[in-house]
Amino acid sequence: LSRFCYLLTLIPSPPTVRIVHSGHACNVEEERHAERVYTIREGETLELTCLVTGHPRPQIRWTKTAGSVSDRFQDSSVFNETLHITKIQRHQGGRYYCKAENGLGSPAIKSIRVDVYFLDDPVVTVHQSVGEAKEQFYYERTVFLRCMANSNPPVRYSWHRGRDVLSQGSDKGVEIYEPFFTQGETKILKLKNLRPQDYANYSCIASVRNVCGISDRNIVFKLTNKTVSPSIKLLVEDPIVVNPGQTVSLVCITTGGEPKPTLSWVSSSDRLPEKSVVKGGTLTLPAITSDEAGVYSCVATNNVGNPAKKSTTIVVRAMKKGRFWITPDPYHNDDNIQIGREVKISCQVEATPPEELTFGWLKNGRALRSSERMVITQTDPDTSPGTTNLDIIDLKFTDFGTYTCVAALKGGGIPEISIDVNISSTTVPPNLTVPRGKSPLVVQEGDTVELECLVSGKPKPIILWSRADKEAPMPDGTLQVESYDGVLRIVNVSREMTGSYRCQTSQFNGFNVKPREAVVELIVQYPPSVEPVSLEMRQGLGRPVAMNCRVLRAHPSRVLRYEWRLGNRLLHAGHFDQSDETEYTVKSLNREGWGEYTCDIINEAGAGRCTFLVTGKAYPPEFYYDTYSPLWQNRPRVYGFKLQWTQMNPNAVDRIVAYRLGIRQVERWWEQEITVEGTITKGELITHNLTELIKPEAYEVRLTPITRFGEGDSTIRIITYRRPPPTKFHCSFEEEPICMFTQDKNDDFDWTRHSAATRDTKYTPNTGPSGDRSGSKQGFYMYIETSRPRKEGEVARLVSPFFNVAPKNPYGITNPPAYCFGFFFHMYGKHIGTLNALLRQKGQAATEGPTWSLSGNQGDHWKQAKVSIHPTASFQVVLEGIRGPGIEGDIAIDDVTLEEGECRDLPAISEYRNIRGVYPYPRTSFLFSRFTSL
């Protein structure tokens, strides 16, 4: 059966948020100076859950600020209640923020700092004092052994010589210190004036004191009278000049060093080429290319002294970019070549190595030598590298012809570059024009366009294109584009490319004269941009609907017309005058009026479209997640759930007449219809009781509103069975946050959350429970592990959250209220120590003894303890376990409760063993602890 009713009108509430933690935390410091610190070991799983309240249901977003290393947090935010990071790395530490917002008030934000702990293997380096450096500097010299390890938290170092621990003052020949400038990052062992006994094995042990279970790391260094820093030799020339395609082998050998040095290769480009092969000290570069040229270094390290490094440069022969230019007589103000005047032909080639570059000149295919009228020079490589000039003095008709500049490299193996330059009566300076009809050039967005400048003259120079109207890059991203035919081709032209483009002559492959230039105007037309592009409009029958479509920008903007349609049916059309928007109104919506309306705004380049989906669909319901005690029926095998929701914008469409409720459990799906009487108002909280739900199954619930239009938008939520919240505080330790209990910071070890199903196969027999208090092997409880390295008398304390004591009158607490503190315990084993319950009150010193205490073996049973307490201020209860004389002494607790009033139903005192009297509190001096066996 189910019941359905309307309750109160719910006022929408802004979000609240808190962060709970699970995963593999080794420690969590709660609310210390508004700072929560979650400590986790590198490689473990981080899990943080954001618990929110608020209606409508807030959206949750996780973000992160950088920790020790800048990190963009997976390049995005996480929109989920739970943040889960498996195998967390050190760079993922930092502050994580949970942000919840539902549009009401300010967003709620909470944060927690994640501190990732790690310890790398230490590294020992050996150095000698600078003033005493020699090749064999370990004979009666001062030596420094430096130990370093990356860690969080800061590492502590200790030194051993053989099996002996070295400490400051233990040996006059040894000094141990931390350099001030390193701030504890290293510890140096100084051996003053080496003695025979100083030649030994030295161990550096790095420790973070076993935090998060991180074990110590150590490294051993053997110091002998042969220990020396590395030295190497390169069996290659420097530089090495090769041709492309050759295989280059670089050989590096060690000439000294103890311990034996390790060889590696590095290059000036930060990493070696992908196809390179390193084998021992030999680096092989097969089929080398110009891109792989550079400096290659062999590095030898053995952690003694400084690394040894030798380098060589590989130069790959190459020639490219052969160009020429003609310079008329500089002593006359004339750009033309004239008989009787001087003319210079220049030729330029980029060459590697530049010193191997040679030039030769030919005239009409015959070699040309320098003479009084034909002067051949090579420009200074520092001012204009790779350039040669041919000066023709007093030009004559017989000098007309084809001059060829030939560039070659002395080493050979690289093809020559030949550049032909024709000098004749037709050799004239260039001129630039724009063809008729090519400016302005009108195109549409997305087209391919060619901007054209006609270049005349002989020879025709390279044309340079650039933006003339503004300092902006060309479409390919560069500031200038070269063209050999005067055409600039732009593919997929966009509106941002509208503007003026300059074409101008360059000196290359032409005359070295003042550049000629021309300008081409480009106009890019594009269809109108409109808003809204898409909009859903919900409305009930008989009501008006107004739709508005607005032009944002268009080119051309002067000839604009619009067409309104419903489906394919034309409703209205017209032209724009001064306005930039058009509106269409449905005065009274009928069933035929529902559908997709479009407004096309059209110019020469195309159309922009506004789309309006007019529908009578109801908005989705909004589930209410903050229902108090949603489990209203709780029988042994089944439970009921109080499902509550409000309706989003109920008056936007026709009256909601019903809801369709769908429920899925595993593969089963069933539906029912919930009839609605009357009109739902905004904020009205609706309740529907789900019954006969099977424990502990979870269910998917889908809720869909129904109007005359039909079904509206659905909302889905998951219903999960949880134990109903008691009228008293109750903690069974089933959830990882353990009900806000915390481990005491001043005890010797911690309580452990555990279940029999996950117990280690190496657990200590004859002690501890075989299940939780209910007998379940899957259930969890807390216990103290008394195996090694625990010692007799060591203490573990579990501290509850703070409980407030409300005064009965405005003048404070005169009659302290009574509370019954109860818990189940399991104390089985021949080495059982002591279990104490204590009371801590805020603002009061902890001078009282335990309110309850028990020692010794109580049998392999769970038993219950109850004790009345009378706090006068906010308080915490503390469960204290004390280790007994041996390993068979595990003590467990479960089902901790606290409720108002004196404890009741106390069994006879004769049922407990080894009882210690309760230390008196006001009004409780007559009470003792009572235990009942389950």
Side-chain angles (χ1 to χ4, degrees):
L1 298 177
S2 63
R3 291 180 290 173
F4 180 74
C5 60
Y6 296 101
L7 298 180
L8 53 84
T9 297
L10 182 69
I11 299 175
S13 56
T16 67
V17 62
R18 66 187 179 97
I19 297 174
V20 296
H21 42 77
S22 53
H24 297 157
C26 16
N27 185 39
V28 179
E29 295 182 11
E30 301 287 353
E31 302 298 346
R32 177 170 293 185
H33 306 295
E35 166 110 318
R36 298 178 72 199
V37 181
Y38 181 107
T39 304
I40 187 170
R41 179 175 175 172
E42 187 173 50
E44 300 288 359
T45 297
L46 170 71
E47 191 166 288
L48 300 173
T49 301
C50 205
L51 300 183
V52 299
T53 64
H55 188 77
R57 182 69 167 172
Q59 295 291 319
I60 298 173
R61 179 185 181 192
W62 282 98
T63 55
K64 175 184 178 289
T65 56
S68 56
V69 177
S70 181
D71 177 33
R72 294 185 60 194
F73 186 30
Q74 304 168 351
D75 295 324
S76 65
S77 301
V78 173
F79 294 88
N80 199 351
E81 290 185 3
T82 300
L83 171 66
H84 187 91
I85 302 177
T86 57
K87 297 183 179 179
I88 191 168
Q89 300 300 305
R90 62 193 66 177
H91 70 272
Q92 292 174 305
R95 180 167 293 281
Y96 287 82
Y97 293 86
C98 172
K99 179 180 180 181
E101 53 187 337
N102 63 357
L104 299 175
S106 300
I109 301 175
K110 289 289 185 180
S111 68
I112 188 168
R113 182 162 62 86
V114 175
D115 203 1
V116 182
Y117 278 7
F118 61 91
L119 174 61
D120 292 343
D121 290 329
V123 175
V124 170
T125 56
V126 184
H127 297 273
Q128 180 199 8
S129 54
V130 176
E132 300 173 342
K134 294 180 181 177
E135 285 192 7
Q136 299 293 331
F137 53 76
Y138 292 104
Y139 288 103
E140 296 186 0
R141 300 300 184 199
T142 298
V143 173
F144 300 87
L145 279 71
R146 180 192 298 266
C147 185
M148 293 187 67
N150 294 321
S151 74
N152 184 35
V155 68
R156 290 182 181 175
Y157 301 96
S158 59
W159 281 99
H160 293 242
R161 180 165 55 201
R163 297 183 178 180
D164 299 331
V165 179
L166 296 177
S167 58
Q168 185 65 26
S170 62
D171 186 332
K172 292 183 179 180
V174 173
E175 183 179 343
I176 299 175
Y177 65 94
E178 294 181 2
F180 175 75
F181 60 87
T182 63
Q183 298 180 350
E185 296 174 0
T186 182
K187 180 161 280 189
I188 294 178
L189 175 65
K190 180 179 179 181
L191 305 176
K192 299 179 287 187
N193 292 324
L194 283 179
R195 303 159 300 177
Q197 63 265 35
D198 291 331
Y199 297 117
N201 289 332
Y202 290 85
S203 301
C204 172
I205 300 175
S207 174
V208 290
R209 290 131 347 253
N210 204 38
V211 296
C212 287
I214 300 175
S215 58
D216 297 347
R217 305 287 179 89
N218 74 86
I219 187 172
V220 178
F221 184 86
K222 184 178 182 180
L223 182 66
T224 70
N225 58 2
K226 296 182 180 179
T227 302
V228 69
S229 58
S231 58
I232 57 175
K233 182 179 181 180
L234 281 182
L235 303 181
V236 292
E237 298 178 354
D238 183 32
I240 303 172
V241 181
V242 296
N243 290 330
Q246 284 185 230
T247 295
V248 180
S249 292
L250 307 180
V251 181
C252 177
I253 60 171
T254 59
T255 57
E258 178 65 33
K260 185 177 179 180
T262 300
L263 297 177
S264 61
W265 283 92
V266 295
S267 76
S268 54
S269 60
D270 295 333
R271 60 180 184 178
L272 298 174
E274 290 184 5
K275 60 185 179 181
S276 63
V277 178
V278 178
K279 187 175 182 180
T282 301
L283 169 65
T284 302
L285 304 173
I288 196 166
T289 65
S290 296
D291 294 337
E292 295 166 351
V295 178
Y296 289 79
S297 302
C298 175
V299 181
T301 58
N302 67 349
N303 291 342
V304 178
N306 295 319
K309 183 176 181 180
K310 296 286 187 179
S311 303
T312 186
T313 302
I314 298 179
V315 178
V316 180
R317 291 188 178 92
M319 288 193 300
K320 58 182 179 179
K321 286 190 178 180
R323 293 175 169 178
F324 73 90
W325 59 92
I326 302 170
T327 305
D329 192 336
Y331 302 106
H332 294 82
N333 189 19
D334 194 342
D335 292 343
N336 291 289
I337 296 175
Q338 295 187 21
I339 298 295
R341 294 184 180 175
E342 179 182 339
V343 63
K344 181 194 289 185
I345 305 172
S346 300
C347 175
Q348 185 182 67
V349 173
E350 294 183 12
T352 305
E355 62 271 13
E356 288 192 5
L357 179 63
T358 62
F359 286 104
W361 285 91
L362 305 176
K363 178 184 177 183
N364 297 329
R366 295 184 179 181
L368 190 64
R369 295 184 179 180
S370 185
S371 63
E372 290 185 0
R373 273 199 338 105
M374 298 284 184
V375 181
I376 298 174
T377 60
Q378 191 155 335
T379 306
D380 185 352
D382 293 333
T383 58
S384 182
T387 304
T388 182
N389 302 306
L390 172 62
D391 276 294
I392 304 176
I393 310 298
D394 189 15
L395 182 68
K396 302 181 181 300
F397 282 108
T398 55
D399 295 328
F400 288 165
T402 299
Y403 293 83
T404 304
C405 164
V406 181
L409 293 179
K410 295 177 181 177
I414 303 298
E416 296 178 342
I417 293 180
S418 296
I419 303 170
D420 292 334
V421 184
N422 186 265
I423 300 295
S424 69
S425 58
T426 60
T427 303
V428 294
N431 190 28
L432 276 181
T433 57
V434 177
R436 180 174 297 180
K438 292 293 186 176
S439 181
L441 193 61
V442 180
V443 297
Q444 293 189 3
E445 193 170 39
D447 289 349
T448 295
V449 61
E450 290 186 347
L451 308 186
E452 186 176 356
C453 280
L454 293 178
V455 55
S456 61
K458 187 179 179 181
K460 291 183 178 181
I462 296 173
I463 302 300
L464 303 178
W465 284 93
S466 61
R467 292 296 293 260
D469 53 348
K470 55 185 176 180
E471 288 290 333
M474 297 291 284
D476 66 350
T478 62
L479 291 177
Q480 274 190 339
V481 175
E482 289 186 356
S483 171
Y484 286 85
D485 58 2
V487 175
L488 174 65
R489 192 168 188 266
I490 304 175
V491 178
N492 192 21
V493 67
S494 65
R495 65 192 67 179
E496 293 80 13
M497 297 177 188
T498 295
S500 303
Y501 290 78
R502 178 190 299 109
C503 61
Q504 67 178 29
T505 59
S506 74
Q507 71 175 35
F508 299 119
N509 298 1
F511 275 71
N512 183 19
V513 295
K514 182 179 179 180
R516 275 61 166 165
E517 64 179 47
V519 174
V520 177
E521 295 289 337
L522 176 64
I523 299 173
V524 181
Q525 295 182 341
Y526 53 89
S529 297
V530 298
E531 68 173 8
V533 174
S534 179
L535 179 65
E536 183 183 66
M537 306 183 72
R538 305 196 185 207
Q539 190 60 279
L541 294 173
R543 303 178 188 176
V545 179
M547 293 162 279
N548 184 283
C549 185
R550 179 169 174 261
V551 181
L552 299 177
R553 52 193 165 272
H555 191 83
S557 59
R558 61 188 181 279
V559 185
L560 290 176
R561 58 190 177 90
Y562 58 83
E563 294 177 353
W564 283 94
R565 297 178 184 271
L566 173 57
N568 294 321
R569 180 162 58 96
L570 180 65
L571 301 174
H572 181 56
H575 288 81
F576 284 95
D577 295 324
Q578 301 298 321
S579 176
D580 60 354
E581 61 184 36
T582 174
E583 184 175 278
Y584 183 78
T585 302
V586 179
K587 295 181 179 179
S588 180
L589 188 65
N590 55 30
R591 290 185 177 274
E592 291 73 25
W594 281 323
E596 185 177 87
Y597 291 77
T598 58
C599 175
D600 289 333
I601 299 181
I602 307 162
N603 69 359
E604 296 175 19
R609 170 170 289 187
C610 296
T611 301
F612 303 88
L613 179 61
V614 178
T615 174
K617 287 177 63 175
Y619 285 97
E622 296 176 314
F623 281 118
Y624 184 57
Y625 286 83
D626 302 329
T627 304
Y628 180 74
S629 297
L631 294 179
W632 64 273
Q633 177 194 53
N634 192 25
R635 304 206 305 268
R637 294 182 178 274
V638 298
Y639 68 100
F641 191 87
K642 187 187 297 183
L643 189 68
Q644 293 187 307
W645 70 91
T646 60
Q647 177 60 45
M648 180 190 294
N649 301 331
N651 300 321
V653 295
D654 293 325
R655 185 179 73 84
I656 294 171
V657 297
Y659 284 95
R660 178 164 287 113
L661 176 67
I663 302 177
R664 182 192 301 276
Q665 184 226 351
V666 192
E667 298 299 327
R668 296 179 57 203
W669 174 266
W670 64 92
E671 293 183 343
Q672 69 179 95
E673 194 167 288
I674 304 169
T675 304
V676 176
E677 300 295 339
T679 301
I680 300 175
T681 58
K682 184 175 179 61
E684 187 170 1
L685 187 62
I686 307 168
T687 299
H688 180 78
N689 290 326
L690 304 176
T691 62
E692 305 299 321
L693 303 177
I694 300 172
K695 293 182 179 179
E697 300 293 339
Y699 294 83
E700 178 186 301
V701 176
R702 184 175 67 192
L703 194 62
T704 309
I706 301 173
T707 64
R708 287 189 291 173
F709 175 84
E711 291 191 354
D713 291 337
S714 300
T715 300
I716 295 175
R717 72 167 291 184
I718 303 297
I719 292 176
T720 304
Y721 174 75
R722 288 189 175 91
R723 293 182 182 179
T727 57
K728 59 188 178 183
F729 174 81
H730 174 253
C731 183
S732 60
F733 305 111
E734 296 303 319
E735 302 292 336
E736 179 63 33
I738 59 173
C739 315
M740 305 304 290
F741 273 87
T742 57
Q743 308 282 355
D744 189 42
K745 303 301 181 186
N746 299 314
D747 56 6
D748 301 306
F749 65 108
D750 289 343
W751 288 80
T752 303
R753 179 174 174 267
H754 204 54
S755 74
T758 58
R759 184 164 56 184
D760 193 336
T761 56
K762 298 179 180 179
Y763 75 97
T764 306
N766 304 319
T767 188
S770 59
D772 72 352
R773 197 272 299 180
S774 67
S776 168
K777 291 187 179 297
Q778 280 73 36
F780 285 85
Y781 53 86
M782 302 294 289
Y783 86 108
I784 60 169
E785 172 59 65
T786 57
S787 301
R788 295 181 180 86
R790 303 277 70 87
K791 299 177 182 179
E792 184 176 5
E794 289 189 332
V795 176
R797 298 188 191 95
L798 191 65
V799 184
S800 78
F802 270 102
F803 298 101
N804 292 322
V805 177
K808 301 296 184 182
N809 60 70
Y811 303 104
I813 299 175
T814 55
N815 249 352
Y819 293 89
C820 182
F821 175 50
F823 57 92
F824 285 82
F825 64 89
H826 189 283
M827 299 172 67
Y828 169 57
K830 64 182 181 181
H831 299 135
I832 291 291
T834 301
L835 177 62
N836 295 324
L838 303 98
L839 179 68
R840 287 183 183 174
Q841 300 194 67
K842 195 169 186 178
Q844 299 181 21
T847 57
E848 301 285 354
T851 63
W852 179 95
S853 182
L854 184 64
S855 301
N857 185 2
Q858 301 298 316
D860 190 8
H861 303 284
W862 283 97
K863 298 183 179 183
Q864 189 179 24
K866 287 185 177 181
V867 61
S868 293
I869 56 176
H870 299 80
T872 59
S874 297
F875 66 96
Q876 296 170 291
V877 289
V878 181
L879 289 162
E880 178 183 75
I882 302 177
R883 203 257 196 187
I887 64 174
E888 295 181 21
D890 294 353
I891 299 175
I893 59 171
D894 201 359
D895 286 337
V896 178
T897 60
L898 183 74
E899 56 185 324
E900 291 186 4
E902 300 281 357
C903 293
R904 304 178 188 277
D905 304 324
L906 299 178
I909 297 177
S910 59
E911 292 189 11
Y912 43 77
R913 319 173 191 172
N914 305 332
I915 185 68
R916 294 170 55 186
V918 176
Y919 291 81
Y921 267 80
R923 293 169 56 99
T924 62
S925 58
F926 65 95
L927 289 174
F928 289 87
S929 303
R930 311 290 178 93
F931 318 107
T932 57
S933 176
L934 294 181

